[in-house]
Amino acid sequence: SGGKMSDAGVDTSTLCLFDVDGTLTAARQVGNVCSIQAHMGEELLQDFINFCLNYMAKIKLPKKRGTFVEFRNGMLNVSPIGRSCTQEERIEFYELDKKEKIRETFVSVLQEEFKGKGLSFSIGGQISFDVFPDGWDKRYCLGIVEKDDYSTIHFFGDKTKPGGNDYEIYCDPRTVGHEVSSPEETRRLCEQLFFS
C-alpha cells in the first residue's frame, strides 16, 4: 500500500501500537529517563501520597484490599480498592465505579488540589488511575520513534474518551487512532486494514 517494502515484502514505514485490555501482554512498566520520585521531589510526593491515603480512608466500599499506591518507573498508580484484590473483587469495584464514578470524582479532587504542580491524571483499566508528570503520557513513545522515520503510526486503544489513558495518543496528530473494545475486534480491524 505505497509504503517502503523490505526485501521480505514487509511494509517497514508503518508502525502499529496497541493498548487493549484483555491482550496477553505483561503489565505496563513505563520506563522514563528519570523516575517520578526524582521528578516530583520528596516533599510533593509525600504531600500527594498523604492526600490520597487520607481521601481513600473516607471512601466506603464493599471491599478494600492492599497496595493502594503503587510506584511504577514513570508514574504512580492509585487504586481505591487496592491492587491486591481478586478478579471477582475487581469486577465488583468496576461495576460500582461505573455507577458511582469513584475514580472520576477522586481525579477531579486531585486536579483541583494539585493544580499547577505539573501532574497529569489518567483513568484506565478497571480499578485504578495513573498519575504522571505532564508530558509523560503515552505520547512519550512517539518522540522516541520519530527518528525511525515511519510514515504512518496506527494506535489501537480501548480507553480513548477524554480522561481515558489512551485519549492523548489516540488524538495526537502523529497517529491514526482506532477505538476498539476487545482483542477480537482489534484483530478483525487489523485484518481489514492490513490484510484485505
Side-chain angles (χ1 to χ4, degrees):
S1 63
K4 289 189 301 193
M5 292 295 202
S6 70
D7 293 341
V10 175
D11 179 355
T12 58
S13 68
T14 300
L15 175 67
C16 292
L17 303 171
F18 301 88
D19 192 337
V20 182
D21 289 351
T23 52
L24 298 174
T25 54
R28 181 163 50 103
Q29 287 280 333
V30 175
N32 280 300
V33 179
C34 63
S35 69
I36 191 163
Q37 297 98 303
H39 187 85
M40 287 176 75
E42 193 60 34
E43 190 177 342
L44 175 58
L45 188 60
Q46 280 200 39
D47 287 349
F48 182 82
I49 291 170
N50 289 345
F51 186 90
C52 286
L53 294 174
N54 188 42
Y55 183 92
M56 286 186 282
K58 296 175 182 140
I59 300 173
K60 184 74 177 140
L61 296 173
K63 295 178 184 75
K64 281 189 182 176
R65 299 299 176 247
T67 315
F68 300 100
V69 179
E70 180 181 86
F71 277 82
R72 298 181 180 176
N73 283 337
M75 66 179 70
L76 294 173
N77 182 266
V78 180
S79 175
I81 184 177
R83 296 209 59 86
S84 58
C85 61
T86 65
Q87 185 59 30
E88 293 72 31
E89 291 163 346
R90 169 184 284 266
I91 292 164
E92 179 185 33
F93 175 83
Y94 183 57
E95 292 306 318
L96 182 67
D97 186 51
K98 282 197 282 192
K99 287 194 289 260
E100 297 189 12
K101 309 273 187 234
I102 298 159
R103 292 181 295 167
E104 199 176 299
T105 304
F106 194 170
V107 165
S108 297
V109 169
L110 288 169
Q111 284 170 326
E112 190 54 40
E113 183 69 21
F114 292 92
K115 191 189 297 185
K117 301 290 186 191
L119 297 177
S120 291
F121 302 87
S122 182
I123 298 171
Q126 297 174 307
I127 61 166
S128 64
F129 59 88
D130 295 330
V131 184
F132 46 88
D134 290 342
W136 286 19
D137 60 44
K138 291 180 184 179
R139 293 172 295 180
Y140 188 83
C141 70
L142 298 177
I144 295 166
V145 299
E146 258 173 351
K147 67 183 182 326
D148 296 327
D149 200 31
Y150 292 106
S151 59
T152 311
I153 300 173
H154 291 271
F155 175 77
F156 301 81
D158 58 355
K159 302 282 188 303
T160 59
K161 301 278 185 277
N165 66 1
D166 297 330
Y167 176 72
E168 288 83 4
I169 191 169
Y170 171 78
C171 294
D172 193 284
R174 294 170 289 182
T175 67
V176 178
H178 305 279
E179 183 177 27
V180 289
S181 59
S182 68
E184 297 72 31
E185 185 185 357
T186 308
R187 194 190 76 237
R188 280 194 304 274
L189 183 55
C190 285
E191 284 170 352
Q192 200 181 311
L193 287 167
F194 307 115
F195 300 105
S196 60

